[in-house]
Amino acid sequence: MTMSRVLDINVAKPPQTRAPTIGVPAGDPKGGDVFAHPLIPVLTGVVVAILAALAISWARSVGLIAGIWGVGGVAVAVWLRTSRGPSQDAVFALVLTISILIGELIAGNKPALSMLFTLANMLEIVAAVLLARRFAPALNVSSLKGAAGFLIFGAILAPIPAGLFASVGLLQFGAGDIVDAFKTWWFGHAIGLATIGTLGLSLTRSTFVRLRQPGALLEAGLLLATVLTVQCVGITQRSDVGIVMIPLLLCVAVRTGVAGTAFSLLVVALLSVIAAMFGFGPYSAEGLSHQVMMAQVQVLVAYMPILLVAALLEERDGLAERARLGQVRAELASEAKSRLLANVAHEIKSPVAGVIGIGQLWSSGQLGAVTPQQTEMADMLVKTARQVEALAHDLLDVARAEAGTVKVELRPTDVPGLLDDVRRSAVLRPEAQSVKLEVVCEGDGLIALADSQRLMQVINNLVTNALKYGGAGGRVVLRARWSGDRIRIEVTDFGPGLSEQKQKQLFEPFNRLGLERSTIEGHGVGLAIAKRLVELQGGAIGVISSPGQGATFWVDLPRA
């Protein structure tokens, strides 16, 4: 095919190698936009004119239609990265139109043919920009959705109307096979938009920051060198290296992200198509036109989807990093809360102890004669102060549990004896006056590996809750039995029971399940502390309950 029928397809040299970036969309202030400069439209126009002229001149020298057109990819990437409004869009469109026309004329095309190609190229560029803004509005090709939107609509579909327009227009200039001309235009322009466009959108300041890391730079260089070596071997040996290239490009996607993958694909596409135009490659037995088309199809069908894999991996890495940072922030907030609880508890204990002492002296008459009413008020003062003191102790326990400073000393613990001690202590509580407390032990050798002091604290908390919230049933049962190779301790009440929703909230600190305004005293931390203490002893804790059927709190511990 003579140059009078050549489509303007760029085969300029690839840009300098750039290190990959991770998960920063175009224009992100955190990543930095390397294209944010007022002279960029003018410089882009100059580059576009030079590339167009060189590409057309080179294609004429070999007497074929070139297989890759990179002008569209450069123009679309820079346009999307720099334009921020209709007026800037108009300026950019005007600059590109003039630049492409100048490049066509410098290459020696006739004015009418130059105008045809200029209009076709601008139709493609404008379509790609509009479709990218519509289907990838964030312009973040480091996400699967953004990359897929840009590749499918901005790179694959955008060249179709322009290719049809140019192919039909070439009839006026005596073109031969219009179908082949359309295919070459479509495939070549799609490759340029997909590789250069994606590369341009993925480059941010963080890309170049990563280049400063010697390890990342060395790794990217070795991977690119391997890609070049494999591709050159395939070209010189006239063999298809796709079976090796695909896993190699997948490694590039895993290690270097979207930018590194796009650059590697650009290099592979240039080498494949240029070699095909000079008669090298696995399809050299066919005609040159068919060989170029097969090289284009291989790049588009076999290699280009790897960009989606790179985008998916980069998006996953970004989500994982955000999750890690969120976890760090949550841990720091939890540590700050624990320190605050500990400080508040310490600050409360001293003055409360003084209030209790004064109240007891007042109530006993050691501060002077008191009336019965004053004695009652002093007793109420002491009772309230002891509640505050108990809260301070609970706050300290919560803070220590969350900070991991609670120490346990595991040793063989006689569970039946411990339950009997808990029962003896519980019957003295005011809530137990009308409640029958029972201890049931099923089986022999119920010796658990536990911290007896901490385990008694846990069971005391469970029994206290059973008396306060389930004492209306008139009976509380403490049971010890075997559960497989572990020992299970159960505290069962026959009160109103718990709904499934409330069971999920039971072990949350300071959650009283809506009983904050009830007459039942409590702070909502006992079960949270019990859960942490049980876990420190290598056990588990839970509840079995249903509304109206009472509740059974259980603790599983390893046997001694």
Side-chain angles (χ1 to χ4, degrees):
M1 186 177 293
T2 64
M3 192 52 211
S4 62
R5 291 172 286 175
V6 170
L7 300 179
D8 46 344
I9 299 176
N10 180 25
V11 289
K13 294 182 180 180
Q16 295 294 321
T17 305
R18 292 184 173 94
T21 185
I22 297 181
V24 181
D28 188 345
K30 293 183 179 180
D33 197 336
V34 295
F35 298 105
H37 194 283
L39 292 179
I40 287 297
V42 177
L43 296 176
T44 303
V46 173
V47 172
V48 164
I50 295 173
L51 291 181
L54 291 175
I56 298 170
S57 300
W58 182 84
R60 181 183 289 115
S61 69
V62 297
L64 288 173
I65 297 177
I68 294 181
W69 177 253
V71 168
V74 173
V76 169
V78 180
W79 189 339
L80 290 172
R81 293 291 294 269
T82 59
S83 182
R84 294 295 182 269
S87 59
Q88 294 184 22
D89 286 344
V91 170
F92 213 99
L94 179 61
V95 170
L96 289 178
T97 301
I98 296 173
S99 301
I100 294 174
L101 182 59
I102 291 174
E104 297 278 347
L105 293 173
I106 292 176
N109 280 342
K110 296 179 180 180
L113 186 61
S114 298
M115 185 60 69
L116 171 67
F117 284 147
T118 299
L119 292 176
N121 274 282
M122 286 308 301
L123 175 62
E124 173 183 295
I125 292 170
V126 171
V129 169
L130 294 177
L131 289 172
R133 287 176 175 174
R134 171 63 180 84
F135 294 99
L139 302 181
N140 182 13
V141 293
S142 294
S143 69
L144 180 60
K145 183 178 180 181
F150 178 77
L151 290 176
I152 294 174
F153 296 97
I156 303 300
L157 297 183
I160 294 178
L164 291 172
F165 176 79
S167 300
V168 173
L170 283 175
L171 291 174
Q172 306 300 321
F173 299 93
D177 193 337
I178 299 300
V179 175
D180 282 348
F182 169 74
K183 289 180 181 178
T184 305
W185 175 290
W186 182 17
F187 295 155
H189 285 229
I191 292 174
L193 286 167
T195 55
I196 300 177
T198 302
L199 178 61
L201 291 177
S202 65
L203 290 178
T204 62
R205 185 164 290 124
S206 61
T207 302
F208 303 100
V209 169
R210 191 178 180 193
L211 267 177
R212 300 174 186 173
Q213 303 176 12
L217 179 60
L218 178 61
E219 182 181 41
L222 290 175
L223 287 171
L224 179 60
T226 306
V227 169
L228 283 170
T229 301
V230 171
Q231 188 65 27
C232 290
V233 169
I235 291 172
T236 55
Q237 299 298 319
R238 300 178 184 272
S239 60
D240 187 359
V241 294
I243 193 172
V244 178
M245 186 61 69
I246 290 176
L248 179 57
L249 289 174
L250 286 173
C251 290
V252 173
V254 171
R255 300 304 303 168
T256 66
V258 175
T261 306
F263 183 79
S264 299
L265 286 174
L266 176 60
V267 172
V268 170
L270 284 170
L271 291 176
S272 298
V273 175
I274 292 174
M277 295 181 69
F278 281 99
F280 292 92
Y283 308 105
S284 56
E286 307 290 341
L288 286 182
S289 178
H290 176 76
Q291 184 172 338
V292 171
M293 192 173 301
M294 291 303 296
Q296 292 174 323
V297 171
Q298 183 183 48
V299 172
L300 283 172
V301 176
Y303 301 155
M304 207 60 66
I306 297 176
L307 280 173
L308 298 179
V309 176
L312 178 62
L313 293 173
E314 210 162 304
E315 184 176 30
R316 180 208 62 182
D317 292 342
L319 293 174
E321 179 65 13
R322 283 195 290 273
R324 186 189 68 81
L325 293 176
Q327 181 180 1
V328 170
R329 287 193 293 269
E331 290 174 352
L332 291 175
S334 179
E335 291 176 4
K337 182 192 69 176
S338 298
R339 289 195 298 270
L340 176 62
L341 289 176
N343 291 336
V344 169
H346 280 296
E347 293 297 327
I348 289 175
K349 288 177 64 178
S350 297
V352 166
V355 172
I356 293 174
I358 294 173
Q360 289 175 336
L361 292 174
W362 183 20
S363 174
S364 63
Q366 297 182 46
L367 298 180
V370 292
T371 65
Q373 184 179 9
Q374 290 174 332
T375 301
E376 182 180 358
M377 292 177 62
D379 291 338
M380 290 178 59
L381 176 66
V382 172
K383 180 180 179 182
T384 304
R386 291 199 181 280
Q387 291 176 356
V388 176
E389 184 182 42
L391 174 60
H393 285 292
D394 288 342
L395 290 176
L396 273 176
D397 284 339
V398 171
R400 290 167 180 164
E402 291 186 348
T405 58
V406 177
K407 304 299 182 183
V408 295
E409 185 176 350
L410 302 181
R411 60 180 64 181
T413 302
D414 179 25
V415 173
L418 184 143
L419 294 185
D420 192 58
D421 290 341
V422 171
R423 185 192 69 81
R424 293 173 184 273
S425 174
V427 295
L428 301 177
R429 296 180 61 87
E431 301 93 336
Q433 298 305 313
S434 59
V435 179
K436 182 180 180 181
L437 279 167
E438 302 177 21
V439 174
V440 178
C441 297
E442 302 173 356
D444 298 325
L446 295 171
I447 308 296
L449 187 63
D451 185 312
S452 58
Q453 181 181 356
R454 295 299 184 180
L455 181 57
M456 179 171 288
Q457 182 181 353
V458 170
I459 305 305
N460 264 322
N461 277 338
L462 298 181
V463 172
T464 300
N465 281 347
L467 292 173
K468 288 195 297 186
Y469 301 108
R475 181 170 166 237
V476 172
V477 178
L478 284 70
R479 178 178 285 104
R481 63 183 179 86
W482 288 99
S483 178
D485 61 345
R486 296 168 73 85
I487 295 175
R488 170 164 290 195
I489 302 171
E490 297 176 349
V491 177
T492 303
D493 66 66
F494 299 88
L498 297 163
S499 65
E500 185 176 349
Q501 182 180 2
K502 289 185 176 181
Q503 291 179 41
K504 295 178 181 178
Q505 305 171 16
L506 266 178
F507 298 98
E508 297 176 0
F510 307 105
N511 190 339
R512 297 199 61 204
L513 307 180
L515 296 177
E516 292 83 357
R517 298 183 180 180
S518 69
T519 58
I520 302 176
E521 297 177 1
H523 309 116
V525 297
L527 289 178
I529 296 172
K531 183 175 186 296
R532 181 58 178 160
L533 292 177
V534 170
E535 290 172 347
L536 286 173
Q537 297 175 76
I541 187 171
V543 63
I544 302 171
S545 182
S546 58
Q549 301 297 319
T552 297
F553 286 84
W554 55 266
V555 174
D556 278 350
L557 292 168
R559 66 177 181 179

